[in-house]
Amino acid sequence: MKPEQALNIIAGQCSKKEMCSKDVQQKLIKWEIQEDDIQKIMSFLLEHKFIDDKRFARIYTEDKFRFNHWGKQKISMMLRQKGISQEIIDEASSVIPPDNYTDHCQELLLQKYRSLTENDPYKLRAKLTRFAMGRGFDYDTICKCLSQLLSDE
């Protein structure tokens, strides 16, 4: 594929969907574009705001929190895998309001609690903790939500 053709295709994809710079680079490498042409394409895309890692991280964080009900730890891990720097991740994580974060964790634990038939309180607490940690919530938030949930029930 010619570099001009690759630029047109990738610019079209970036205008339809948010992409991070690492994903774009991997796609260009997969298309067997030369390294110097990749650098030219990447600089064009960055200069014309087709890709912006800060914008990508913010939108990714909002979407994964709202629709997938992921916690900050899982979101951070996935952004690190996409090559996003830690300061951008920290900035993107700040878009999640602390009250909403706790409320989401509480709702997830309540839904899971209703689906469990465990009678032993230690096993019940362990299952709920593992579930919430798998969703990426931090231990302190989980403990706070579990205390409230199990005291209410």
Side-chain angles (χ1 to χ4, degrees), residues 71-117:
K72 289 180 183 178
Q73 292 178 335
K74 188 168 185 173
I75 293 169
S76 294
M77 180 183 66
M78 298 307 284
L79 286 171
R80 269 194 301 279
Q81 286 180 351
K82 291 188 171 288
I84 306 295
S85 68
Q86 189 59 46
E87 58 266 5
I88 293 175
I89 293 172
D90 293 340
E91 187 178 317
S93 293
S94 68
V95 301
I96 301 173
D99 294 341
N100 280 1
Y101 188 69
T102 306
D103 291 344
H104 264 57
C105 183
Q106 188 76 32
E107 289 173 31
L108 280 174
L109 287 171
L110 181 61
Q111 287 174 357
K112 185 66 174 176
Y113 176 76
R114 289 179 178 155
S115 72
L116 295 175
T117 57

Side-chain angles (χ1 to χ4, degrees), residues 5-58:
Q5 186 182 15
L7 174 63
N8 289 334
I9 292 171
I10 203 71
Q13 289 177 353
C14 289
S15 66
K16 292 177 186 171
K17 171 186 163 190
E18 278 298 328
M19 297 177 79
C20 67
S21 53
K22 183 179 178 185
D23 290 344
V24 172
Q25 275 185 319
Q26 288 176 339
K27 198 169 274 212
L28 292 171
I29 290 169
K30 186 175 143 188
W31 292 345
E32 298 176 357
I33 305 297
Q34 297 298 318
E35 186 61 38
D36 57 330
D37 291 330
I38 290 176
Q39 294 306 318
K40 289 175 187 174
I41 292 170
M42 291 300 294
S43 63
F44 176 85
L45 294 173
L46 286 167
E47 181 182 328
H48 292 90
K49 303 280 190 225
F50 281 99
I51 53 176
D52 182 358
D53 285 344
K54 283 185 179 182
R55 184 179 63 214
F56 172 81
R58 184 178 42 79

